[in-house]
Amino acid sequence: MATAQETTATRTLDLRVWRQEPGSEGQLVNYSVEVPPEGMVVDALFAVQAQIDPTCAFRVSCRAGICGSCAVRVDGRERLACQTPLSLVRDRVRIEPLRHLPVLRDLVVDLDPFFAKYGAIHPEFRPRPLVAPARITAAERGLVERAINCISCGACYSACDIVGLNPSFLGPAALARAWALVADERDADADARLHEAVGENGAWRCHNLGNCAVVCPKGVAPLLAIQALRRRALWRS
Amino acid sequence: MEELTFDILVIGSGGAGLMASVHALAANPTLEVGLVVKGLIGKSGCTRMVQGGYNAVLSPDDSKERHFEDTIKGGAYLNDQELAWTLVSRAPEVVQELEVKVGCFFDRNPDGSIHQKAFAGQSFDRTVHRADLTGIEIVSKLRDYLFGLPVRVLEEQRVLELLLGSSGQVAGAVLLDLRTGRISVARAKCVVVATGGPATMYKLATPSVEKSGDGVAMAIRAGLDCVDMEMLQFHPTGIIAGGSRLTGMILEEGLRGAGAHLRNGLGERFMARYDPERMERSTRDVVSRASFLEIQAGRGSPGHGVWLDASHLGADFVARSFPGMVERMALVGKDLTREPIEVTPTAHFHMGGVRIDTHCKTDISGLLVAGEDAGGVHGANRLGGNGVADSTVFGMVAGETAAELVADLPLADYDRVEAEGVAEAATRYLRAGSSPFRLREELNVLMWDHVGLVRDRGGLLHAAAELDRIEAELETVGVPGGRAYNPGWQEALNLENLITVAKLMVASALHRTESRGSHFRADYPERDDHHWLRRVVTRLREGEVQVTTEAVRFTRLAPGQVEALR
């Protein structure tokens, strides 16, 4: 039986994909692939893998903008490959790995430095003693609503020029998570977290460039979280 | 070969694997726990992808008995009733724990209490959620919670094979590091298998792409019994995005729960022909098959689907209640709030799997199985909202059992020659040869066409023969390009596992000469309670699939009782 995926129409796309073997220098390599016109950037990468080179490495998992595995730079801008329609890109498009992170192979970066900083703000919830789920009002919820949408894809980390200039800066995603916990009334450790988040490599290092908010695929706007952390720290002092 | 040693090795990092790790350490904080993650921690697996929500009894007006009845009725009485009872009776404590201990933020009612919404096939609105993207909340927070625990995370590694000791008990597993291609052995007193199911063997499918039924395949090769392997659920409302790999992603069940209509190409609400009472809120098996039959009869939409229409619910309501779904459709140029959307059935969840008891134990000492890898909880069809409940509840149970077991279990020795053999077999693909991606496409089309929503003897026999051919052709596959992060190599290994699982699915489907739940035989279209209140049990012996059946034990509820109660 015919199924929904069957389609005859394709579009020819010229890709320039970053290829890099472990331990060597990388370069952009040209590929011409047939892609479904309704597809996403990730479909173009699947096409390279299926039509030309099965070793072309990129991360992908959910293909629904939920897992944040497939963040890459498309024509220089951080995006989720599975959420960037090919209808929005030109016939010649450049795909490169995230910045500020070591390349493992091709488009796959080592996220360990990113998660080391994420871990440094102690992202684990430390609850106040509660016996039942807390009653949470809309106003309380509104404080963290944006920040809890983070999928830790690393797009903001790559787009942040301060991370590039100052490798010890915690970066936007870690600080957004810190804010989600600082503002969470159920968390018992708000003061200690705040102290850490505005510490030496924390919120005050941000220069308000706002790239993080521009590239975030989930509308988290880490810059707003960073500003909220600073505001709270000032009020506390 | 490098060796790591743990008390407990958890394979898989979806809801089941994360909860198993958390609960093993909650029971005994001194345990050494290793967690094998095929992708990135918190980012791989399907619990992450849960949209709709989590079924749990929280309201005093609801009851565990009702949740149980809904689950058994939804499962067409094929469920292992003790497993189903474990699910419903422990789901509330997990929701509580996720909120209070792990820090999840589920949606609230205006008074600040937890909101529960309507899902199909249920007699009470009991689905806990965070908007329409509930899985992110659960898995992200569990991942964050793990930062505070001494779990050794083995990221971007897969398990090639389980290792057994000389007296048949579990001894560990052979691991492959995707980043470096290095192969090592992880020894453990207890192993928890929770990798997720094989629905990715179908042309249109919902799960994350790295899933390949690894856990079930390894358990099969280790000789364990599987149950209900013919029961593979198709979700009725997969999106259509032409030739994109996004085709088959789901629009969540809550849309039908909230009152969205399904129409065929003629504009008819066709569910009136298949389930006039429940209409669109019928269970997934019924709605998927109805859609499929409409499409097959030439009454489909232009894109080989049917129409899902939520526009009459009000654009504001849809935008507020289903923001993730609205966003998903906007990406492919459609407005869910104002126009009908073309949808197709799509392979979603495997009800079948390894036979376990209520403690997640298997016939192999020290080997536990939890989540989608296990069979029996959902019978012939799973209710929406019971999936994430399954993975988290049984993950918790497996963690508890594991912590208890390792107090008495010694570390078993394994056969080094056997481990070397596993490594050699896996690395044989690093040679010149044909593309694994082409062969994968053949498998996916085969399963869709012949082991899909409507089956018959001829098609299943054809599928069995074709599976043998595809397996033979695997020997011509080659993926040069080195060991480090080589996706073609991983695909070849995925194919091995999917073929292993598919063989048992086909054998089970051939054996069940009736239609029940997700399993529909065009040559035996009726449900046959007289002969088939039995479960099909399959296992691999000397490379051949053995099939037997056993009667379902109605330990709590007999067929017809739910209907009589209501």
Side-chain angles (χ1 to χ4, degrees):
Chain A
M1 194 194 92
T3 63
Q5 215 176 31
E6 274 155 37
T7 172
T8 47
T10 58
R11 165 185 171 199
T12 306
L13 200 64
D14 287 321
L15 293 174
R16 288 192 295 151
V17 180
W18 187 263
R19 300 300 305 271
Q20 184 172 349
E21 294 285 320
S24 42
E25 296 286 297
Q27 58 175 340
L28 287 166
V29 175
N30 294 316
Y31 299 101
S32 181
V33 288
E34 296 299 312
V35 295
E38 313 86 342
M40 304 292 147
V41 165
V42 76
D43 286 303
L45 294 173
F46 277 127
V48 172
Q49 226 174 42
Q51 295 166 24
I52 301 170
D53 183 354
T55 67
C56 176
F58 57 92
R59 281 198 184 100
V60 57
S61 176
C62 76
R63 77 217 194 280
I66 285 174
C67 73
S69 299
C70 67
V72 289
R73 284 183 299 145
V74 179
D75 283 338
R77 192 37 105 192
E78 286 77 9
R79 296 188 185 283
L80 296 180
C82 77
Q83 301 286 288
T84 306
L86 289 172
S87 58
L88 298 184
V89 306
R90 298 167 301 164
D91 286 335
R92 192 172 158 76
V93 60
R94 195 172 82 240
I95 304 178
E96 296 162 288
L98 295 181
R99 300 192 304 163
H100 313 323
L101 294 162
V103 171
L104 292 172
R105 185 171 186 171
D106 303 337
L107 299 171
V108 179
V109 294
D110 184 356
L111 285 164
D112 285 354
F114 170 79
F115 278 110
K117 291 177 182 178
Y118 189 84
I121 60 103
H122 300 293
E124 71 276 14
F125 185 57
R126 293 174 189 158
R128 292 177 188 283
L130 273 177
V131 286
R135 301 218 157 222
I136 294 172
T137 65
E140 288 165 338
R141 175 68 181 260
L143 284 174
V144 297
E145 185 72 49
R146 275 174 177 273
I148 59 176
N149 285 329
C150 175
I151 57 173
S152 57
C153 64
C156 58
Y157 190 82
S158 170
C160 177
D161 290 329
I162 306 306
V163 170
L165 293 169
N166 174 8
S168 48
F169 174 49
L170 289 171
L175 292 171
R177 177 65 186 143
W179 168 247
L181 287 163
V182 166
D184 187 341
E185 287 294 320
R186 304 168 305 166
D187 191 85
D189 242 356
D191 287 344
R193 290 181 195 284
L194 184 62
H195 186 73
E196 234 156 315
V198 297
E200 196 184 339
N201 299 311
W204 294 108
R205 296 284 166 202
C206 168
H207 287 216
N208 303 315
L209 297 176
N211 288 337
C212 56
V214 174
V215 300
C216 178
K218 290 290 166 188
V220 170
L223 177 59
L224 292 181
I226 291 170
Q227 290 171 340
L229 283 167
R230 292 167 171 171
R231 206 158 37 237
R232 176 129 343 162
L234 284 176
W235 279 108
R236 288 286 152 90
S237 64
Chain B
M1 229 183 283
E2 192 197 343
E3 244 184 50
L4 298 166
T5 303
F6 300 101
D7 292 308
I8 300 167
L9 183 70
V10 179
I11 307 169
S13 67
L18 294 173
M19 285 291 279
S21 306
V22 166
H23 276 270
L25 284 165
N28 179 355
T30 68
L31 293 176
E32 309 243 359
V33 178
L35 176 61
V36 185
V37 186
K38 197 174 182 183
L40 296 170
I41 177 114
K43 294 174 177 287
S44 59
C46 281
T47 308
R48 173 94 191 173
M49 296 173 72
V50 168
Q51 303 171 347
Y54 192 123
N55 295 340
V57 174
L58 302 179
S59 161
D61 299 327
D62 195 7
S63 74
K64 291 175 180 174
E65 285 73 16
R66 278 182 79 161
H67 186 186
F68 180 74
E69 290 160 19
D70 289 342
T71 300
I72 300 298
K73 191 173 169 216
Y77 288 93
L78 199 62
N79 319 53
D80 179 317
Q81 297 200 349
E82 294 313 300
L83 292 179
W85 181 254
T86 304
L87 175 82
V88 305
S89 63
R90 299 201 67 185
E93 71 186 89
V94 174
V95 167
Q96 156 108 351
E97 171 179 280
L98 289 172
E99 265 272 340
V100 170
K101 189 171 110 182
V102 179
C104 292
F105 259 114
F106 297 118
D107 279 4
R108 292 302 202 267
N109 291 312
D111 72 354
S113 61
I114 291 181
H115 179 253
Q116 295 182 280
K117 69 178 173 184
F119 248 33
Q122 299 198 58
S123 59
F124 193 87
D125 295 351
R126 66 167 71 88
T127 306
V128 176
H129 65 109
R130 181 156 95 70
D132 55 356
L133 294 171
T134 308
I136 297 184
E137 186 63 15
I138 294 172
V139 170
S140 291
K141 298 301 180 286
L142 278 170
R143 188 266 320 269
D144 289 349
Y145 191 77
L146 231 55
F147 274 93
L149 296 176
V151 174
R152 168 89 183 266
V153 177
L154 305 161
E155 217 173 17
E156 292 194 303
Q157 304 214 21
R158 69 185 296 164
V159 173
L160 294 172
E161 214 66 91
L162 300 169
L163 290 170
L164 303 185
S166 51
S167 53
Q169 77 279 42
V170 84
V174 183
L175 308 187
L176 165 61
D177 184 329
L178 276 59
R179 291 178 188 170
T180 61
R182 263 198 299 272
I183 295 175
S184 63
V185 166
R187 303 179 63 184
K189 296 174 182 174
C190 176
V191 174
V192 178
V193 173
T195 67
T200 48
M201 66 172 65
Y202 287 83
K203 187 173 176 197
L204 302 182
T206 63
S208 47
V209 297
E210 76 279 7
K211 277 176 76 170
S212 52
D214 297 350
V216 178
M218 292 186 295
I220 290 169
R221 291 193 294 261
L224 285 176
D225 281 0
C226 290
V227 296
D228 306 336
M229 291 295 276
E230 71 279 25
M231 298 302 176
L232 189 289
Q233 178 173 80
F234 289 79
H235 194 290
T237 54
I239 73 168
I240 294 181
S244 168
R245 288 287 285 266
L246 268 63
T247 292
M249 298 294 319
I250 329 181
L251 286 175
E252 73 130 307
E253 180 139 316
L255 284 160
R256 285 185 294 124
H261 292 163
L262 285 168
R263 295 183 196 279
N264 62 17
L266 307 174
E268 301 166 330
R269 280 181 71 189
F270 57 86
M271 283 310 298
R273 272 200 287 283
Y274 302 90
D275 189 345
E277 192 188 327
R278 294 185 294 181
M279 295 293 286
E280 285 86 355
R281 282 183 71 165
S282 185
T283 46
R284 289 175 177 177
D285 51 343
V286 176
V287 181
S288 287
R289 196 158 41 251
S291 304
F292 184 83
L293 291 171
E294 291 295 307
I295 299 164
Q296 221 181 18
R299 294 192 292 271
S301 64
H304 306 297
V306 295
W307 298 101
L308 177 74
D309 190 356
S311 59
H312 61 280
L313 301 175
D316 285 351
F317 170 79
V318 174
R320 197 174 57 246
S321 309
F322 305 101
M325 299 305 106
V326 172
E327 196 182 314
R328 183 168 291 183
M329 291 320 301
L331 206 59
V332 292
K334 301 279 164 35
D335 184 352
L336 178 66
T337 67
R338 294 178 201 279
E339 60 180 335
I341 303 290
E342 280 187 285
V343 294
T344 171
T346 172
H348 185 49
F349 180 89
H350 198 197
M351 279 74 70
V354 181
R355 187 212 295 269
I356 58 166
D357 71 7
T358 52
H359 304 287
C360 295
K361 289 182 186 170
T362 66
D363 290 340
I364 292 176
S365 168
L367 183 63
L368 309 179
V369 176
E372 194 181 0
D373 305 46
V377 180
H378 308 286
N381 175 58
R382 173 171 73 70
L383 293 183
N386 271 358
V388 59
D390 175 349
S391 59
T392 51
V393 165
F394 285 96
M396 168 177 75
V397 170
E400 293 167 351
T401 306
E404 202 178 298
L405 280 179
V406 295
D408 303 322
L409 283 176
L411 192 64
D413 212 355
Y414 67 98
D415 182 344
R416 277 157 184 79
V417 178
E418 187 193 336
E420 293 291 346
V422 170
E424 269 171 41
T427 47
R428 76 185 189 281
Y429 295 109
L430 298 168
R431 63 193 172 197
S434 59
S435 164
F437 294 105
R438 185 188 53 78
L439 206 53
R440 173 67 181 274
E441 177 68 17
E442 284 181 32
L443 173 73
N444 289 14
V445 171
L446 175 73
M447 295 303 289
W448 182 269
D449 285 347
H450 299 292
V451 198
L453 285 135
V454 175
R455 305 160 173 181
D456 62 38
R457 182 178 153 81
L460 291 167
L461 288 172
H462 172 75
E466 280 292 283
L467 282 175
D468 287 340
R469 178 190 64 79
I470 291 173
E471 187 173 40
E473 247 178 74
L474 202 49
E475 294 316 313
T476 69
V477 163
V479 222
R483 287 174 168 233
Y485 226 106
N486 183 340
W489 185 22
Q490 300 311 319
E491 186 70 336
L493 297 168
N494 290 344
L495 258 169
E496 274 186 9
N497 288 339
L498 290 172
I499 292 167
T500 303
V501 180
K503 284 184 168 185
L504 269 65
M505 291 167 65
V506 169
S508 289
L510 262 171
H511 205 77
R512 183 174 286 282
T513 48
E514 66 145 1
S515 293
R516 180 180 302 271
S518 306
H519 173 72
F520 185 84
R521 288 278 300 255
D523 44 356
Y524 299 93
E526 300 300 324
R527 173 164 151 175
D528 177 4
D529 276 358
H530 186 62
H531 295 100
W532 276 112
L533 285 168
R534 303 182 71 80
R535 86 170 31 104
V536 180
V537 185
T538 44
R539 65 188 73 78
L540 203 60
R541 289 287 181 272
E542 311 292 327
E544 296 296 316
V545 181
Q546 287 183 355
V547 186
T548 53
T549 66
E550 62 184 29
V552 178
R553 292 186 308 130
F554 303 108
T555 50
R556 290 171 188 270
L557 204 61
Q561 245 177 303
V562 180
E563 291 76 0
L565 285 168
R566 302 232 169 116

